[in-house]
Amino acid sequence: MGKEEKKKFFLESVEKKLQSLNIQELEKYESLLGPGWKKRILRIIFAPRVVLNFKFRILKDKLFKKKNKEIEEFDYPFFYFLEDLDSVNELKSIKFLIKNFKDVDVFYDIGAQYGLYTSLALEFCKEVHAFEPIPKFFDVLKNNFKNYKNVFLNNLAVSDKKGKARICLGPTTIVEEMKKKYPKSCEEVEIETITLDEYIKTHSKPTIIKMDIEGAEFLAIKGGYEFFKNNSPIILMEVLGDEFLEISKKAVDLLVELNYVPHQINLEGGITKVPLDFIYKLKGVNNLVFTKR
């Protein structure tokens, strides 16, 4: 299958997935994501079918241990993840990436978890560098992609310094913020960290970056400041709204300082420039695209 044929095939598959979903209810659900009983109740009220579907999915995964299924059973590993992907936010982001990936691209998946975006990028990019610091996620990631030569797996967090750090396993990885807002929900774990400026000294520089690290994006950008100042990779970044908006705002402001412009992604995978005021009013969890001026 040629490059353009493969892109068309992947885009058609993602579109079929989108058409099978209740987009309006899912978007409402995603706008109410976050910790706390109030949001949990609102999700049940405004997106009951989505809540029930996710509860059923969790139960099914526990019963059948889906995450231990061999990814090699799929002709394209991406479809292993697409089967159960019910997120309009992620599906729009995936469409954008498929349309913009090039053969020469070096993709950095920062916050890879099980490897959704890693699985997509390995089909279209020259190299994929995946970063996942949490051991239980990295073990699955390593098992999923151990046989792919163009994927570099790193059991590391991308941050503002090299060494060790403590993060929260929760709505945000930032320990101070979680303890301040939700002291009982902060389960801490020690991880290894590296900076982008340090990593690129011995590895290919990224041309496209996906950054989903639960509020630690500011630290990752700060640790790659020299790289971002002198290079222009496309950045697909998660932006948290509501009570964690101030954390994401720091990351957005730093990118703007580096001459990046924010864009919203539409259902076709296209992007539209948005003002900072738009970002500062966001709710729930959102993926935005940042490109250099």
Side-chain angles (χ1 to χ4, degrees):
M1 187 183 296
K3 171 186 160 185
E4 293 306 317
E5 286 180 306
K6 184 186 281 190
K7 281 196 172 190
K8 182 180 178 183
F9 172 57
F10 273 58
L11 285 170
E12 287 175 349
S13 300
V14 175
E15 181 60 32
K16 285 179 183 177
K17 183 68 179 184
L18 270 171
Q19 290 177 1
S20 72
L21 303 175
N22 185 324
I23 293 176
Q24 186 175 3
E25 190 171 324
L26 270 169
E27 288 182 328
K28 187 64 178 178
Y29 176 88
E30 291 172 2
S31 74
L32 294 167
L33 284 174
W37 281 104
K38 182 179 179 181
K39 284 191 175 180
R40 188 175 298 179
I41 292 169
L42 288 173
R43 288 197 294 269
I44 293 171
I45 293 171
F46 292 105
R49 287 171 294 184
V50 178
V51 172
L52 286 173
N53 184 51
F54 282 134
K55 293 293 184 185
F56 175 74
R57 180 75 46 73
I58 291 170
L59 177 62
K60 187 180 73 172
D61 286 352
K62 284 181 179 179
L63 290 174
F64 297 101
K65 299 181 179 179
K66 182 180 186 303
K67 292 304 177 186
N68 292 328
K69 187 177 181 181
E70 288 296 326
I71 202 167
E72 284 83 358
E73 293 179 20
F74 292 76
D75 291 334
Y76 299 105
F78 170 69
F79 292 103
Y80 167 84
F81 297 97
L82 184 63
E83 277 190 337
D84 292 336
L85 184 59
D86 294 347
S87 167
V88 177
N89 189 42
E90 303 295 358
L91 289 167
K92 289 192 296 185
S93 301
I94 287 165
K95 272 192 166 184
F96 166 78
L97 288 175
I98 294 172
K99 288 185 173 184
N100 287 276
F101 275 146
K102 301 180 180 64
D103 290 341
V104 296
D105 276 327
V106 176
F107 182 74
Y108 276 29
D109 188 356
I110 300 177
Q113 203 184 49
Y114 297 123
L116 164 63
Y117 286 90
T118 292
S119 70
L120 177 68
L122 69 83
E123 301 294 344
F124 299 102
C125 300
K126 181 175 69 173
E127 289 180 19
V128 183
H129 297 251
F131 300 82
E132 178 49 59
I134 299 173
K136 67 178 181 179
F137 292 151
F138 184 77
D139 287 345
V140 177
L141 183 73
K142 184 169 62 175
N143 183 64
N144 282 343
F145 299 99
K146 62 181 181 292
N147 296 326
Y148 294 91
K149 294 181 179 179
N150 63 329
V151 178
F152 298 78
L153 303 175
N154 300 280
N155 190 196
L156 297 165
V158 178
S159 190
D160 62 339
K161 59 182 178 296
K162 183 179 179 180
K164 294 182 183 294
R166 298 194 70 80
I167 62 171
C168 273
L169 303 180
T172 173
T173 61
I174 307 295
V175 174
E176 294 81 4
E177 289 294 329
M178 273 300 291
K179 283 186 172 178
K180 182 167 60 178
K181 297 179 186 295
Y182 301 95
K184 295 181 180 179
S185 302
C186 185
E187 178 189 348
E188 292 184 50
V189 61
E190 187 175 77
I191 57 166
E192 298 280 343
T193 65
I194 195 167
T195 69
L196 273 177
D197 285 338
E198 183 69 24
Y199 186 82
I200 63 171
K201 289 178 181 178
T202 53
H203 297 87
S204 302
K205 294 178 181 179
T207 56
I208 300 183
I209 297 172
K210 172 237 133 185
M211 207 180 298
D212 179 356
I213 43 181
E214 310 300 332
E217 289 81 8
F218 169 74
L219 299 177
I221 298 163
K222 183 180 175 184
Y225 193 88
E226 289 302 314
F227 166 71
F228 288 117
K229 187 170 69 174
N230 298 303
N231 298 273
S232 306
I234 295 171
I235 301 171
L236 172 65
M237 188 175 81
E238 181 184 73
V239 176
L240 303 174
D242 304 307
E243 65 268 58
F244 297 118
L245 179 59
E246 285 302 311
I247 299 175
S248 288
K249 184 176 180 294
K250 290 170 66 178
V252 172
D253 289 345
L254 188 54
L255 285 177
V256 171
E257 178 185 317
L258 287 159
N259 292 318
Y260 272 91
V261 177
H263 301 78
Q264 186 180 25
I265 312 171
N266 61 38
L267 286 170
E268 299 305 315
I271 58 174
T272 305
K273 180 180 174 181
V274 292
L276 291 179
D277 285 349
F278 169 87
I279 297 174
Y280 299 156
K281 295 175 184 176
L282 288 173
K283 302 290 183 182
V285 177
N286 310 268
N287 288 344
L288 300 179
V289 172
F290 294 80
T291 61
K292 276 278 184 82
R293 294 182 189 278

